[in-house]
Amino acid sequence: MGRVGELARLTDALARPPAVLLVEGEAGSGKSRLVAEAVRALDERSGNGTTGNGTTSQDGTPTPTPPGGTAPRRPVLLGRCHPLREPEPFGPVVDALRDAAALLPPPAELPPSTGALRLVLPDLAAQLPAAPPDGGTLLSARRLLAQGVRALLAALDAPVLVVEDLQWADDATLDLLVRLARDLPPRLALVVTYRPEDLPPGAPAPGAAFRPAPARTGGHGAGAGHGAVGAPVRLERLEPLDEREVAVLARSVLGPAATPELARVLYERSQGLPLAVEEDLRTLAERPPAARTPAGRTGGSSTSGASSTAGGRTATGDLAAVLAAAEVPRGLRDAVTERLARLGGDGAAVVAAAAVLGVPADEALLTAVAGLDAEAGADGLTEALHAAVLRETAPDRYAFRSPSARQVAQGQVAGPRRRVLHQRAVAALGTREPRPLARIAEHTLAMGDRPAWQDLAQAAADQAAALGDPGGARRMLRGLLDEPDLDPRRRGRAALALARLAADDVDPAASVQVLSGMVADSRLPVADRGEIRLALGFLMAVHSGNRAGFDRIRESLEELEERPVRAARAMVAIAMDERDGAGRRSGEWLARAENLLAANPDEDVSAAVRATTLTFQARSADPAVWDRLDELPRDSERPEVMRQTTRALYNTGEIAIELGYDRRSANLLEESRRLARLTGIPYLECYSRLALIRLDMLAGRWDLVEPRFARLGAEFDDLAMAGAERSLLFGRLAAGRGRLALAREEFEIAARFGQRESQVTVALRAAAGLGGLQLLEGDTAGAAGTVGPALATARQADAWARTAELLPVAVEALLATGGRAEAGEVTEEATESLTDRGAPAVTASLHLSRGLLLDADGDPEAAEAFTRARDHWQDIGRPYEAARADERIAAALAARDRVRAAERMAAAERVYLELGATTDTARCRKLRRDLDLGGIGSPGRRGYGKRLSPRERQVAELLAQGTGNQDIAQALFLSPRTVEHHVANVLAKLGTGRAGTAQALALADAEDAAGEAGEGGG
């Protein structure tokens, strides 16, 4: 993984000896594995197979050909250097040649110079000629030995000599290898691996010694040069895996459980070091399969800006928790420990200081905490950098290569020593302006001085809030409130401060837990307790999507009687609840809030009333709302006013998607995203970007959805709010791509969230997705049972303007179950509710619904209704919905206008193909065959060889998620027999069984991607 290009280059070089190959990389980067795979690939290229050839061991490292065994076409001789105090001269080369016994020709056929090896290879003495005279000097003996080694290797059948860990080579061995490389036998490939960070201080990289000045031109591929005898020298530097490569590797081991979030945790722990990634994956793979399946996700996007995802313990979170509790991977721990052991006193002191500081630090701070003078600090830092223990993360900022490396180093600092280092950190940081109080508080707590820490934590929270870092302030306050012996007055002050900062919390679960305990504290003043209860309700209802939060907000009203402005704010929040009939009282709550504000003016709460009023106008599809948005203040100096402007822009932009104003929505959401970032409101920035991702999908940019979600998760890793929107969109993608089981899981997750949400939009969309999937599977009764409660919800909340996704599914399900009259009534009710309102998406859905009704009655006007729907969807800019309408048009016209029917069917199929909508393409083709409408133009069938054809790819993806043959047949509209044929081809091409399909497919994808990158790079 991540080494396909390097593997191809090394294999190519091995296949064309003579060649010198240098493989450079830190410990655990996969040097030995790369060399082993190159030898294996070379063997395969020679047609010798990959097993029973004695070229690689079970763990993937090269092994010599066993004596008396069947020799491969390219014998491999392996020697290793060791970090011994007194290394044996020539030891690695001698070790490698010991395994050449079965490969040697008779002594009479060996050059006389090979007799020089009798002394160092006594076990082979009988197979070697007599020893030549050595000249009596050490220098002449070394020359004879080098000549003998070269002659012996030249006598073998195109061997590969591998010398591992050259950084530990003694001078004699290094001299021998350099001599050999400069006069390489014609059929020999010399492979040398080394760790650059472990080279002696000041020593040049081995490439300088192995690459003499060129004597003639020529090349052997990019990066190659020629020595005096023309042997090409190639240097391959193995870089850490990037996050994408770690994700692919994780998917190959864990399957669907390897979510982008988990891959990010793996990458952060390992910093891309393959050995560390593999050890973590081994830890996760040993867990029971059920614990690795991503199930039970909760959460989603908000509707009308009033709610977000419910948090919840996810399977991904469980796996991440397993890693958090796991020890540092042994390979990484050993590598770091080995580096630390070689540091001198100054280097060790600087590293200990860096371990205690925990964050990137400048040279002056590291030197002060280490207790060194400036010169010793510079020397120690240089040593730590050379040993690759620390790295420069920015100009004059130094830190460990990974959190795991810091953990190892910190574990080697004894307790008393750590306390001294923390004391120095407090002193050094205390001299800086402004004083970094949060960091000083952290070191004070680590020293065990809890009273001093409490003072600092409160001051640090105040400082963070003043500097525009509410997240930092919340973290300090939550830590302070966790103190069991905290003074009651300080506890009340901290709780009230946390409550006032809670509105923009990106990690509500922690604050909910703290504030839930505070509202039960009878020692708090009543009004303070009311504000805390209001903040708790906000977090539950607005951020966690839990309707129970509105109960807390209502309870706060009585406690806020002496604070009418806060009571008015509570009333504005209550107005946002539209479930169980609460929406009918929304206007009443807003009026009560305005009455309170008339007697107690407050600009901030008035801004909340204004934003909520605009939200209600958008919900009801009132066309006047769009002009009123221009009146929102965009440059107020009051943070809450700007927050409410941003909220109003987001709410109306998100609702505009439901209404079908996609272009207007994009503009509003871009503005809300920009303002949210400028004003420091992360959850609204995240909301806006979630909605923009949805617009990407609706506009046909399906390929952008998953990577943009991944990037969003990387930036807002504490946000749970993406869950429901993710499930809704990923469910749509999965259904379109034929992954029906996954689609069902995603829609059911979204439906569970919709049941808890105070807004109805998620519930309506989830019912539309699940009902549509049930119709696809032929479960018409199940579909009718799904859409029935959703229609009742839409009716109760008067949310017909947000039923664009639901209406056609509901009408089709009702028609399929004999509910023709009810389908007509629903269509008419929705039509009447939208009189004088602006909702292009629902208008398109109503045309489609009327077409379904007409088609069920055999009325030829159905085609015209479908055409009007198609035209509306095209105007809005939603190609998938337009293609579905085209498909309907074709079916309605097939009996009386075959030419136009064929055109519309071909148009639909082309869109499905461009989108990658596997299921829709398969259904479209089946319908085209059933209606005898002919085929769309094709450049002709191509051959795929060992690669998967598009159809086989579809089958492979379904197999990878554990889909059975019958479900595959249903998803792709194929016969079970045809599916059996495709499954057999897929498994044969991937070289695996059903259980290994996910891993084999992930690896095949990685190889294809690397191949394409190599071709693109020329």
Side-chain angles (χ1 to χ4, degrees), residues 588-614:
E588 178 185 332
W589 283 112
L590 273 186
R592 289 179 61 184
E594 289 177 318
N595 287 337
L596 281 177
L597 291 174
N600 305 274
D602 185 271
E603 190 174 349
D604 291 347
V605 181
S606 294
V609 171
R610 178 172 56 237
T612 303
T613 301
L614 291 170

Side-chain angles (χ1 to χ4, degrees), residues 545-559:
N546 186 345
R547 296 206 303 274
F550 285 102
D551 294 333
R552 305 290 85 76
I553 296 174
R554 292 185 185 93
E555 291 167 3
S556 73
L557 287 175
E558 184 175 344
E559 295 169 319

Side-chain angles (χ1 to χ4, degrees), residues 117 146 223 293 303 343 470 658 710 830 935:
L117 301 177
T293 303
T303 56
L343 293 174
E658 303 301 329

Side-chain angles (χ1 to χ4, degrees), residues 118-138:
R118 278 176 166 263
L119 184 62
V120 295
L121 292 172
D123 293 342
L124 300 184
Q127 295 178 259
L128 299 173
D134 61 9
T137 67
L138 179 61

